[in-house]
Amino acid sequence: MDVKWASRIAGLPPYLFAEIDAKKNEMIKKGVEVIDLGVGDPDIPTPDFIIEALKVGAEDPENHRYPSYQGMRSFRVAVADWYKERFNVDLDPDTEVIALIGSKEGIAHAPLAFIDPGDVGLFADPGYPVYPTSISFAGGEPYGVPILKENDFLPDLNAIPEDIRKRAQLIFLNYPNNPTTAVAEEEFFKDVVDFASKNNILICHDAAYTEIAFDGYSPLSFLQADGAKDVGIEFHSLSKTFNMTGWRIAFAVGNKKAIAGIGKIKTNIDSGAFQAVQYAGIVALQNYKSGLQDRIQIFQERRDIFCKGLDEAGLKYHFPKATFYVWFEVPEGLTSKEFSSKLLSESGIVVTPGNGFGEYGEGYARVSTTFSTERIIQAVERLKETKF
Ligand SMILES: *Cc1c(COP(=O)(O)O)cnc(C)c1O
């Protein structure tokens, strides 16, 4: 029988890395030593004290049973305490915090709670590809709001057409931003709260990178803006802060009714995160400063090496204050895709073409510095020798 795919998956654009992967494998077959700076997935292991907490939790039979869908109360308390200490934001662990099986899970499910067929879901373009996909999975119409270099990669919310604003139920924003590495300050978040309350649009702020910041810079939480909890939620994750991408533990915080809405979806879809992982998450959050500066220092050093290489290669970039990416402009006369293909076939370097993050990513490419410093140095040497 020929299995019919639902239009929601049949109509999806091809997976961002599929084409690059095919080409990369072809190169490897030819014997080329490929340096892949594509995916943002930390190479440094999870800190030992977190692994130890997992081991203890894994041995307790209490943790072998179904967890609660909203997360253990002690995990939600640890999240609330961390938000208080880190951002001076008050959260009620019983109503304003929910555990997630990775923030991707929460982001992908959120539109099911807030979008009806025919509603518009706004998202920053370029951005994490899950935003538009999850909006359309919910039957909504994704509408990309450009984030452009001339506006420091912040969206011009007032430029969103009136008819779109009227139909929009939510907007996905993300600062510090993947892929552009841009950051947002208090003024911007205040404008976002205004925009949300005037237009009745739920803010879904993805804050995965607030802890990966350089030169002493400390990114803000959206919830620090006055009135933010009335209009929005924030997604956060242990993945990037603690090098725990494989563990699948994260959380959403903020507006009570919105958190309850996500909870309603989750009770019908999953059964929560493994409790031993939640215990490890508690220990991580309670000791979040432990080793963090050392981890940041490694990413900062790699950022500096890569940016210096771009300077020498004559390529323009947005100097990253945060995240472990570098977002740079491709040489004039080439599209993002042409540039990344050329770089792979002539120099064996994999970068992500900017248009993979949305139409406004055209003209850019992204590298991730989540690979050994030695590899980054090698990549820079090859990049400088490439003729465009
Ligand atoms: C990595 C990433 C996430 C998701 O991380 P999880 O591992 O699913 O918690 C979410 N948003 C952005 C922008 C990311 O880069």
Side-chain angles (χ1 to χ4, degrees), residues 225-237:
D226 280 343
K229 255 203 267 180
D230 292 334
V231 299
I233 54 174
E234 187 154 84
F235 292 95
H236 220 301
S237 173

Side-chain angles (χ1 to χ4, degrees), residues 142-204:
Y143 183 90
V145 182
I147 56 171
L148 307 173
K149 178 183 166 186
E150 55 262 39
N151 299 324
D152 299 319
F153 299 108
L154 298 171
D156 180 357
L157 298 170
N158 296 315
I160 302 169
E162 178 82 29
D163 57 316
I164 297 291
R165 263 190 269 173
K166 281 204 173 116
R167 289 167 56 216
Q169 298 302 323
L170 60 75
I171 181 166
F172 282 113
L173 296 172
N174 163 226
Y175 293 98
N177 185 260
N178 172 14
T180 69
T181 79
V183 297
E185 300 306 342
E186 200 180 339
E187 208 45 44
F188 173 73
F189 283 144
K190 276 187 186 158
D191 291 347
V192 170
V193 172
D194 271 355
F195 168 80
S197 41
K198 274 196 198 113
N199 295 286
N200 241 315
I201 293 171
L202 180 73
I203 306 302
C204 296

Side-chain angles (χ1 to χ4, degrees), residues 40 101-105 107 128 131 174 176-178 206 208-209 236-240 244-245 248-250 324-325 366:
I101 311 170
S103 56
K104 184 179 189 177
E105 180 264 305
I107 291 164
Y128 192 46
Y131 310 140
N174 163 226
N177 185 260
N178 172 14
D206 179 355
Y209 293 96
H236 220 301
S237 173
L238 282 77
S239 287
K240 313 293 162 61
M244 289 173 73
T245 50
R248 313 317 299 137
I249 181 75
F324 41 55
Y325 304 108
R366 188 198 76 177

Side-chain angles (χ1 to χ4, degrees), residues 153-359:
F153 299 108
L154 298 171
D156 180 357
L157 298 170
N158 296 315
I160 302 169
E162 178 82 29
D163 57 316
I164 297 291
R165 263 190 269 173
K166 281 204 173 116
R167 289 167 56 216
Q169 298 302 323
L170 60 75
I171 181 166
F172 282 113
L173 296 172
N174 163 226
Y175 293 98
N177 185 260
N178 172 14
T180 69
T181 79
V183 297
E185 300 306 342
E186 200 180 339
E187 208 45 44
F188 173 73
F189 283 144
K190 276 187 186 158
D191 291 347
V192 170
V193 172
D194 271 355
F195 168 80
S197 41
K198 274 196 198 113
N199 295 286
N200 241 315
I201 293 171
L202 180 73
I203 306 302
C204 296
H205 184 241
D206 179 355
Y209 293 96
T210 60
E211 305 316 297
I212 311 295
F214 308 121
D215 310 306
Y217 175 70
S218 181
L220 298 177
S221 157
F222 165 65
L223 297 183
Q224 284 171 283
D226 280 343
K229 255 203 267 180
D230 292 334
V231 299
I233 54 174
E234 187 154 84
F235 292 95
H236 220 301
S237 173
L238 282 77
S239 287
K240 313 293 162 61
T241 308
F242 302 102
N243 299 330
M244 289 173 73
T245 50
W247 295 53
R248 313 317 299 137
I249 181 75
F251 48 90
V253 295
N255 185 277
K256 228 183 256 191
K257 193 167 174 194
I259 294 295
I262 292 176
K264 252 195 181 327
I265 298 297
K266 284 176 61 62
T267 35
N268 287 286
I269 290 184
D270 66 63
S271 301
F274 181 29
Q275 288 198 6
V277 170
Q278 294 188 55
Y279 275 118
I282 293 169
V283 170
L285 289 169
Q286 286 175 342
N287 301 281
Y288 83 98
K289 284 184 184 156
S290 175
L292 180 60
Q293 268 317 312
D294 298 338
R295 300 197 291 279
I296 287 174
Q297 200 52 44
I298 294 171
F299 292 129
Q300 186 171 313
E301 188 196 348
R302 293 173 183 175
R303 171 201 68 175
D304 291 342
I305 292 166
F306 199 83
C307 288
K308 186 161 169 276
L310 288 173
D311 284 333
E312 288 166 6
L315 294 171
K316 287 191 219 149
Y317 55 91
H318 180 82
F319 188 70
K321 276 185 164 176
T323 78
F324 41 55
Y325 304 108
V326 183
W327 182 243
F328 62 100
E329 295 176 33
V330 306
E332 230 163 286
L334 292 180
T335 64
S336 293
K337 199 174 153 190
E338 286 164 353
F339 170 78
S340 47
S341 302
K342 205 167 153 116
L343 198 58
L344 178 53
S345 53
E346 291 179 18
S347 306
I349 304 173
V350 175
V351 300
T352 312
N355 63 316
F357 299 100
E359 63 173 296

